[in-house]
Amino acid sequence: MGSKNAPVGAYCSHRTMPADLMLRLPNVPDDLLAGHPLRGITASFLRHEVHLLTAGQTVPIHAAAGGVGQILAQRQDLGTPILACQSGLVAEG
């Protein structure tokens, strides 16, 4: 089971919460699932804390095929041109 959102105490070993906040996770090994929140947290931090975007700025996303890059490149609400780079290739969108 997993949580729809990370409530306070999400990184403790045990947590009690209402059932409507839970969802069934796919049959994937725990070590693969463990990295997903970190990618999202990193992408959110980059987008909201490191540099606030303004209209007309071009956003370079290095390693766009990686975990954090994929999250940033798929955001449709950025409102700015995206320059995605991966393995020496460049794609504008």
Side-chain angles (χ1 to χ4, degrees):
M1 298 300 266
S3 174
K4 295 177 186 175
N5 49 11
V8 175
Y11 291 106
C12 58
S13 62
H14 292 81
R15 177 79 166 111
T16 302
M17 65 185 68
D20 64 332
L21 291 178
M22 302 301 291
L23 58 105
R24 186 163 303 283
L25 295 172
N27 189 17
V28 178
D30 289 343
D31 58 340
L32 293 177
L33 290 173
H36 288 284
L38 184 58
R39 293 178 192 129
I41 291 167
T42 302
S44 178
F45 178 75
L46 289 171
R47 184 166 175 256
H48 297 290
E49 303 293 330
V50 173
H51 182 77
L52 296 177
L53 298 172
T54 58
Q57 287 183 315
T58 298
V59 180
I61 300 178
H62 298 281
V68 174
Q70 286 182 23
I71 292 170
L72 291 172
Q74 292 179 30
R75 291 304 304 247
Q76 300 298 315
D77 63 340
L78 290 176
T80 61
I82 294 174
L83 183 65
C85 306
Q86 182 64 35
S87 300
L89 302 173
V90 177
E92 293 187 39

